[in-house]
Amino acid sequence: GDQVEQSPSALSLHEGTGSALRCNFTTTMRAVQWFRKNSRGSLINLFYLASGTKENGRLKSAFDSKERYSTLHIRDAQLEDSGTYFCAAEAGNTGKLIFGLGTTLQVQP
Amino acid sequence: GPKVLQIPSHQIIDMGQMVTLNCDPVSNHLYFYWYKQILGQQMEFLVNFYNGKVMEKSKLFKDQFSVERPDGSYFTLKIQPTALEDSAVYFCASRRDWEYEQYFGPGTRLTVL
């Protein structure tokens, strides 16, 4: 079935540095959402893309439906960026989201 | 941002009993979803609901499951009867329209004993 492969599963960054998270899709997806899970386990919306790129502060996301991937770039990482990040791709005509397994980010001083 | 509420946050019941999970979606949203997450596993789609009807359901949405949103009130997921494998965190989501993102509630942790 449709799958979302998210990498890396874990990432450690020093403050001020940056990196990228990536999700690959096994089939063409209509759109992608990126979330961060907060300390209480709630999903915080970061981005929703049907194509192209979006930027918000130190975060930037891209989605290429044809090439079947999406990325989330974090620059100038801060301690409060630590947490688990999820991508979720929208499949089919009913909007159901297929989630990746998440990336646990730890930002160190 | 927009908030989706879920009631209760935790529910413990005995196997075979009925349970209703309640979701208060964002007020002007039209599409509603339930997802299930078993501990340590990824979140999985259960069902979506629009205009009073189920649009799509996954194989996880067993015959014992049902959803409804009577008169624009809570969007509910009912499980009757419950089974041990129904223990999970259930997340509700809503979206305003087709071209908009989904917003998730904080989840209801269901424990079936």
Side-chain angles (χ1 to χ4, degrees), chain B:
Chain B
K3 292 235 184 276
V4 175
L5 305 178
Q6 289 188 242
I7 303 161
S9 57
H10 293 82
Q11 180 87 53
I12 301 173
I13 58 171
D14 291 322
M15 182 176 63
Q17 284 188 314
M18 180 194 77
V19 68
T20 299
L21 307 184
N22 298 291
C23 172
D24 188 9
V26 180
S27 62
N28 61 346
H29 284 193
L30 301 176
Y31 294 79
F32 312 107
Y33 302 80
W34 284 104
Y35 293 82
K36 176 182 180 181
Q37 186 172 30
I38 294 173
L39 186 63
Q41 299 183 20
Q42 69 200 101
M43 181 134 36
E44 293 191 87
F45 167 80
L46 278 178
V47 65
N48 61 0
F49 191 83
Y50 169 72
N51 198 25
K53 298 174 187 173
V54 169
M55 293 178 66
E56 182 182 2
K57 54 186 179 181
S58 73
K59 62 181 186 301
L60 297 179
F61 194 80
K62 304 181 298 183
D63 291 344
Q64 297 88 336
F65 288 29
S66 63
V67 290
E68 64 176 354
R69 191 181 187 219
D71 301 323
S73 60
Y74 288 152
F75 175 50
T76 63
L77 173 64
K78 182 187 292 186
I79 308 174
Q80 181 177 25
T82 51
L84 294 177
E85 60 266 26
D86 297 331
S87 294
V89 181
Y90 291 83
F91 291 90
C92 170
S94 71
R95 75 195 303 181
R96 176 178 168 185
D97 206 335
W98 189 240
E99 300 299 325
Y100 293 82
E101 61 204 294
Q102 291 182 37
Y103 288 90
F104 282 74
T108 292
R109 181 175 298 278
L110 176 64
T111 302
V112 181
L113 303 176

Side-chain angles (χ1 to χ4, degrees), chain A residues 26-39:
Chain A
T26 57
T27 187
T28 301
M29 299 295 184
R30 183 183 167 275
V32 68
Q33 286 192 239
W34 283 91
F35 302 90
R36 186 176 73 210
K37 185 167 270 196
N38 70 10
S39 57

Side-chain angles (χ1 to χ4, degrees), chain A residues 3-15:
Chain A
Q3 289 203 2
V4 173
E5 299 166 352
Q6 186 171 347
S7 62
S9 58
L11 179 63
S12 181
L13 295 176
H14 287 288
E15 270 187 301

